[in-house]
C-alpha cells in the first residue's frame, strides 16, 4: 500500500463481538435487556445509581472473562510493525486491544476497568464491584463511578484525535455502526481533509457513503486480511 504513512483506526463494538461481548444495537434497541437511557446517562446514575452500578459491575466482571480475537491481534501486529504514526481510537470500553498487545490505543469513551472519583478526579484501575460504594484509594471519599463516557458527556481527548486525523493518510473504521457522535463524524472530517477512508464492517454503517471503500465481513477475517495487505511491502 504505497503513500501511506500515518494511519488513524476507529474501532467500535463490532471488533469485540466475536470475543463474546455484545454490541450495542444488536438486541432490538436494548443493551443486555436495558434501555440505553436507563443505564448509560448521567441522569440515569442520578436517578437510580444502584441499577447503573450493578449494570457496570456485571459488564466489568464479564469482560475480564473474554479474550482478544484475531482482529485485535492483527491490529496489535500492525501497531508493532508500523513505523509511521498510528492511532487506534476505540469507542470500546473493554481492554481487548491492550490485551492483544496494542500500545497506541486511545479510549475515547473511557474504560470499564477504571474508576473515576467525582470528589478528587483521580482515576484508578478497578476490577472489583462498585455497588457497595468502595472508597477512592486517593482521597477516601465514597464517590467512585465507572470511568466510562455516558451519553450527553464529552468523549476524551478529542483534540488529540482531530490532530491525528489532520495528519493522517488513511482513516479506517472497524465494526462501528456510525450512529454515535462525534465518532460517527470522523469519516466526514477525514474525507473533507483529503484523507483516504476505508470501512471494515459486517454491514454498511450509517455513514457508509463517506468511505472511499467498504469491505464487508467478520472482523476476525477482514481485519487480518487488511493488515497483511498493509504490511506486505515491508516484508
Ligand atoms: P454498535 O453496537 O452501534 O454497532 C456495532 C457495529 O459492529 C455494527 O455496525 C455491526 O454491523 C458491526 N458488527 C457486529 N458484529 C461484527 C463482526 N463480527 N465483525 C465486524 N463488525 C461487526 O457499536 P458502536 O458503533 O461501537 O457504538 C456503540 C457504543 O457503545 C460505543 O460508543 C461503545 O462505547 C459502547 N459499547 C462498547 C462495547 C465494548 O466495549 N466492547 C460494547 C457495546 C457497546
Amino acid at each position: 500500500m504505497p503513500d501511506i504513512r500515518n494511519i488513524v483506526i476507529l474501532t467500535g463494538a463490532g471488533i469485540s463481538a466475536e470475543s463474546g461481548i455484545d454490541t450495542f444495537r444488536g438486541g432490538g434497541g436494548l443493551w443486555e435487556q436495558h434501555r440505553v437511557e436507563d443505564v448509560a446517562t448521567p441522569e440515569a446514575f442520578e436517578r437510580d445509581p444502584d441499577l447503573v452500578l450493578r449494570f457496570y459491575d456485571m459488564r466489568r466482571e464479564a469482560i475480564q472473562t473474554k479474550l482478544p480475537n484475531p482482529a485485535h491481534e492483527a491490529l496489535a501486529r500492525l501497531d508493532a510493525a508500523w513505523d509511521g504514526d498510528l492511532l487506534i481510537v476505540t469507542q470500546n470500553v473493554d481492554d481487548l486491544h491492550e490485551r492483544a498487545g496494542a500500545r497506541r490505543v486511545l479510549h475515547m469513551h473511557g474504560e470499564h476497568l477504571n474508576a473515576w472519583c467525582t470528589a478528587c478526579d483521580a482515576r484508578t484501575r478497578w476490577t472489583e464491584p462498585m455497588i457497595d460504594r468502595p472508597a477512592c484509594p486517593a482521597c477516601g471519599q465514597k464517590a467512585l463511578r465507572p470511568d466510562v463516557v455516558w451519553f450527553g458527556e464529552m468523549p476524551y481527548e478529542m483534540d488529540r484525535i482531530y490532530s491525528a486525523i489532520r495528519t493522517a493518510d488513511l482513516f479506517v473504521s472497524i465494526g462501528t455502526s456510525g450512529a454515535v457522535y462525534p465518532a460517527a463524524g470522523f469519516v466526514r472530517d477525514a474525507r473533507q481533509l483529503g484523507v483516504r477512508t476505508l470501512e471494515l464492517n459486517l454491514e454498511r454503517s450509517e455513514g457508509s457513503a463517506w468511505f472511499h471503500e467498504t469491505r464487508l465481513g467478520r472482523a476476525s477475517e477482514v481485519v487480518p486480511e487488511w493488515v497483511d495487505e498493509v504490511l506486505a511491502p515491508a516484508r
Side-chain angles (χ1 to χ4, degrees):
M1 198 167 286
D3 303 332
I4 299 292
R5 176 140 190 88
N6 300 334
I7 306 176
V8 173
I9 299 171
L10 173 70
T11 67
I15 198 169
S16 296
E18 290 167 75
S19 295
I21 301 178
D22 276 2
T23 62
F24 209 21
R25 268 147 242 283
L30 295 181
W31 192 12
E32 297 197 346
Q33 324 311 324
H34 292 285
R35 293 185 319 151
V36 170
E37 311 86 84
D38 292 338
V39 289
T41 63
E43 293 77 16
F45 188 50
E46 217 166 282
R47 195 170 51 236
D48 192 346
D50 280 7
L51 173 74
V52 174
L53 290 176
R54 250 190 231 107
F55 174 78
Y56 282 92
D57 282 355
M58 185 187 75
R59 301 249 339 155
R60 191 179 311 104
E61 189 182 350
I63 65 156
Q64 294 179 69
T65 68
K66 310 297 182 192
L67 294 172
N69 68 53
H72 300 102
E73 285 157 8
L75 293 188
R77 193 155 51 84
L78 177 65
D79 186 5
W82 194 251
D83 284 341
D85 288 348
L86 174 84
L87 186 62
I88 301 170
V89 178
T90 187
Q91 298 168 86
N92 294 344
V93 289
D94 66 54
D95 63 342
L96 297 184
H97 283 305
E98 287 88 344
R99 276 201 270 144
R103 288 165 177 257
R104 290 179 271 183
V105 181
L106 185 161
H107 282 270
M108 64 177 291
H109 291 165
E111 298 178 59
H112 263 324
L113 297 181
N114 270 356
W116 172 34
C117 177
T118 56
C120 75
D121 206 32
R123 284 176 166 82
T124 310
R125 179 153 171 97
W126 205 269
T127 54
E128 298 300 313
M130 288 186 193
I131 188 69
D132 292 330
R133 312 296 196 279
C136 167
C139 73
Q141 297 286 314
K142 296 190 171 188
L144 295 180
R145 59 162 267 188
D147 188 17
V148 297
V149 175
W150 287 325
F151 286 91
E153 296 182 324
M154 180 60 82
Y156 297 152
E157 301 204 65
M158 292 302 292
D159 288 351
R160 204 175 133 213
I161 297 170
Y162 284 126
S163 125
I165 292 174
R166 270 197 297 277
T167 56
D169 305 304
L170 177 66
F171 172 82
V172 186
S173 168
I174 302 173
T176 171
S177 60
V180 179
Y181 280 82
F186 292 163
V187 61
R188 189 160 33 172
D189 300 325
R191 194 66 200 254
Q192 284 166 349
L193 288 160
V195 179
R196 176 107 197 136
T197 54
L198 167 67
E199 170 174 42
L200 307 176
N201 208 354
L202 199 55
E203 51 194 30
R204 286 182 177 277
S205 64
E206 288 183 23
S208 202
W210 286 98
F211 290 92
H212 288 104
E213 190 188 348
T214 294
R215 298 184 191 179
L216 299 181
R218 295 178 344 159
S220 63
E221 289 164 9
V222 291
V223 177
E225 278 167 18
W226 171 70
V227 168
D228 285 347
E229 210 175 287
V230 173
L231 292 179
R235 283 195 189 131

